[in-house]
Amino acid sequence: AIANDARTILPVSVLLQGEYGIEGVAASVPVLIGKNGIERIIELPLDDEEKEQMNYTCSVINDYIKRAYEL
């Protein structure tokens, strides 16, 4: 996708900086990939249950990161 400047949407783990209301957690979300790598994060509309699941998943990731720093 990068080499051919495909400008395609793929699921990629990327640091969220406010997308989906989440900061500082790397999560797999749809992104537009082109010759410059990640060109933009595609923020899909989520219903309340999906938002809750996304927040829960990112909180679990954060907990594991905190535990790793404590080792």
Side-chain angles (χ1 to χ4, degrees), residues 1-68:
I2 294 171
N4 295 322
D5 192 24
R7 295 188 51 76
T8 188
I9 297 173
L10 296 170
V12 174
S13 184
V14 62
L15 183 63
L16 298 177
Q17 299 174 330
E19 296 84 9
Y20 298 98
I22 297 167
E23 293 246 0
V25 176
S28 292
V29 294
V31 300
L32 179 66
I33 302 285
K35 67 181 177 182
N36 298 313
I38 295 171
E39 296 191 1
R40 74 182 173 97
I41 296 172
I42 309 296
E43 192 168 348
L44 299 175
L46 302 178
D47 64 29
D48 289 341
E49 183 178 344
E50 291 167 327
K51 287 177 190 175
E52 186 177 310
Q53 291 171 345
M54 180 81 160
N55 287 328
Y56 173 75
T57 298
C58 288
S59 73
V60 170
I61 293 169
N62 254 342
D63 288 344
Y64 279 110
I65 290 169
K66 289 176 187 174
R67 287 184 196 176

